[in-house]
Amino acid sequence: MKRVSTYSGAVVLAAALIWPVTAETCGYHDPSVLARGILNWTYPKALYVGTAVWQAEASGVLPRPTQTPTDLFAYQRTVRHLQALGERLRRSRIAQGPGSSFSMVLLDSMLWTRFAAAPEGYAVEVHADGPAEGDVVLVTHGKVIRALAEGSFDAVVAEEYGLVRLYGPPASQERVRTILATTAAAQAVRAKAVTDWASDP
């Protein structure tokens, strides 16, 4: 599959010399290589997701960080969450009709995953090299993906509060939003998330 880069010449040079954004350098396998600066250059305000996650943790909307030793199985769990989200997307795709392919990067690990639209749903490629030509790019966090995969959080609320940011042609973004929105749990989940956030002092 043809891959394309959205970097300008200067960004490509900087990425090559400093932090190449590739599957081989995701945070799970090389924690010292964090390409967040390059990501924020390519996708403006992508790093705002990190601030939104911190605020959600402080408000109790997302689980607060715990002081635990290095988690040796974090990568495997994240893969399971991404695959579970893919299954939810598959069911939504069948119900909603055509969608758009998109690529997702998790800000906490710099792990790229591609969700390729197919007649039967979405094919999930974890540890992708990056977005393919024409993909919408979705920037989020591992905690958000876990909540979406488990059905305990709503994609609409996640984007409203900056936990998810989308980049790409507006029409394609809307198709991705439509599919993601249908993966939410009951409307009560959405209402509870909004209420919890609003009630935070």
Side-chain angles (χ1 to χ4, degrees), residues 125-194:
E125 180 190 352
V126 180
H127 227 302
D129 292 332
E133 183 175 8
D135 278 4
V136 169
V137 170
L138 190 153
V139 180
T140 187
H141 188 281
K143 283 188 176 183
V144 179
I145 291 306
R146 175 179 180 176
L148 292 176
E150 293 176 345
S152 61
F153 204 65
D154 181 88
V156 175
V157 172
E159 188 175 9
E160 277 183 10
Y161 290 103
L163 298 168
V164 171
R165 296 186 73 91
L166 276 69
Y167 300 86
S172 297
Q173 286 189 41
E174 286 306 312
R175 287 193 291 272
V176 171
R177 284 190 183 96
T178 298
I179 294 296
L180 287 171
T182 61
T183 66
Q187 290 292 324
V189 173
R190 181 179 303 177
K192 183 178 185 302
V194 173

